[in-house]
């Protein structure tokens, strides 16, 4: 059975959002709506969506910033920006923040669906057709299929456990992960607070992906655990 694609609509104008929702449903897509930038960012980063339709002029957080964050944490997910702005500068900024495509309101829904389908086709090629399922944050990328890790384009050699540890962090971006969670999910062990093997591997990983870079990605939250984020 063919799985439906799920699209997140981040649009504060309820009428427009509902119209897009109905059109997507009629084209056999699943869809969800977020009415402001902060809610949309949270849903996009934590949910499982195949594509995001993103307005620019949003309350809470504008679409440019939402797009930038999506691109940091989910570098291959298609993002189509929807806006009433038609100026070249806005289009350039949207594409510069990582948007896959850009469509100006008012638009014909047939064009929107065509753009959505085109972006999804490109996404499939990027993820599977070329063997490139990629996880990433900032300038760090991990290729799930080839097991290649790079930062700023530079290859980083990792052991199997270091790779598994980094992949787990990248699958939970911006989330505090305890030592207990890491011991259970990476080593399949119950965590013994009298041991320091988790800290040892965190230090190994930090030396390889953070040393020499101004932005440190693996951060410690004392008493809670670790978090992967670009700050």
């Amino acid at each position: 059975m063919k799985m439906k694609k799920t699209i997140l609509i981040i649009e504060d104008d309820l009428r427009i959002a509902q119209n897009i929702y109905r059109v997507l449903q009629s084209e056999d897509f699943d869809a969800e709506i977020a009415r402001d930038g902060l809610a949309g960012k949270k849903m996009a980063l934590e949910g499982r969506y195949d594509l995001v339709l993103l307005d620019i002029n949003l309350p809470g957080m504008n679409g440019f910033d939402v797009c930038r964050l999506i691109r940091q944490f989910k570098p291959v997910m298609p993002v189509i920006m929807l806006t009433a702005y038609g100026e070249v500068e806005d289009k350039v900024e949207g594409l510069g923040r990582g948007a896959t495509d850009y469509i100006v309101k008012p638009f014909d829904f047939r064009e929107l669906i065509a753009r959505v389908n085109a972006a999804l086709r490109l996404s499939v090629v990027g993820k599977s057709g070329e063997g490139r399922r990629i996880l990433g944050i900032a300038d760090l990328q991990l290729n799930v299929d080839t097991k290649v890790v790079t930062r700023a384009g530079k290859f980083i050699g990792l052991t199997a456990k270091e790779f598994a540890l980094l992949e787990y962090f990248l699958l939970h971006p911006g989330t505090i992960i305890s030592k207990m969670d890491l011991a259970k999910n990476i080593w399949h062990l119950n965590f013994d607070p009298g041991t320091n093997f988790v800290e040892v591997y965190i230090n190994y990983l930090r030396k390889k992906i953070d040393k020499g870079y101004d932005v440190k990605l693996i951060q410690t939250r004392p008493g809670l655990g670790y978090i992967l984020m670009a700050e």
Side-chain angles (χ1 to χ4, degrees):
M1 181 178 177
K2 184 179 178 181
M3 294 289 291
K4 286 186 177 182
K5 299 290 187 181
T6 303
I7 296 175
L8 174 62
I9 306 161
I10 308 178
E11 168 63 69
D12 64 318
D13 187 310
L14 183 59
R15 181 183 61 82
I16 294 174
Q18 289 177 335
N19 285 339
I20 294 173
Y21 179 91
R22 284 192 289 267
V23 169
L24 291 172
Q25 290 277 319
S26 72
E27 294 291 329
D28 207 29
F29 291 105
D30 282 334
E32 295 181 15
I33 296 172
R35 295 283 306 284
D36 64 73
L38 292 174
K41 176 205 71 172
K42 180 178 175 63
M43 291 173 68
L45 296 184
E46 296 180 3
R48 297 179 66 87
Y49 300 100
D50 295 287
L51 182 143
V52 175
L53 295 173
L54 175 62
D55 188 32
I56 289 180
N57 189 20
L58 293 166
M61 177 181 288
N62 69 55
F64 292 134
D65 290 337
V66 174
C67 184
R68 176 179 56 81
L69 289 170
I70 292 173
R71 195 52 68 229
Q72 280 186 359
F73 291 106
K74 296 188 174 182
V76 298
M77 185 166 69
V79 177
I80 298 178
M81 302 202 81
L82 311 175
T83 179
Y85 304 153
E87 290 81 2
V88 172
E89 291 79 6
D90 293 308
K91 183 174 182 178
V92 169
E93 182 170 0
L95 295 173
R97 298 293 181 100
T100 308
D101 200 356
Y102 190 104
I103 186 168
V104 178
K105 303 173 187 174
F107 46 79
D108 189 300
F109 285 114
R110 292 171 298 178
E111 180 185 2
L112 177 64
I113 294 301
R115 297 283 188 96
V116 166
N117 285 325
L120 289 172
R121 283 194 297 271
L122 288 173
S123 175
V124 168
V125 170
K127 289 179 181 178
S128 58
E130 296 178 0
R132 294 180 182 175
R133 286 188 296 148
I134 297 171
L135 301 173
I137 179 174
D139 55 356
L140 175 73
Q141 289 195 341
L142 178 151
N143 189 310
V144 177
D145 298 302
T146 64
K147 310 301 181 188
V148 171
V149 175
T150 62
R151 181 155 189 193
K154 182 180 178 181
F155 174 78
I156 299 172
L158 300 179
T159 66
K161 283 299 182 187
E162 290 166 353
F163 184 92
L165 184 59
L166 179 58
E167 183 179 20
Y168 191 78
F169 274 119
L170 286 166
L171 288 170
H172 302 83
T175 302
I176 296 175
I177 304 172
S178 69
K179 295 176 186 177
M180 184 179 300
D181 286 338
L182 292 173
K184 179 181 178 181
N185 289 286
I186 305 303
W187 286 270
H188 308 292
L189 298 171
N190 291 322
F191 179 67
D192 180 352
T195 64
N196 70 340
F197 69 92
V198 173
E199 291 99 319
V200 168
Y201 271 87
I202 290 289
N203 287 333
Y204 288 159
L205 191 57
R206 276 178 166 152
K207 288 178 181 178
K208 292 185 177 182
I209 71 167
D210 277 342
K211 187 176 181 180
Y213 295 94
D214 292 335
V215 177
K216 309 303 180 186
L217 300 176
I218 300 177
Q219 302 175 25
T220 301
R221 293 293 184 263
L224 298 174
Y226 305 95
I227 186 171
L228 184 76
M229 61 189 302
E231 273 192 351

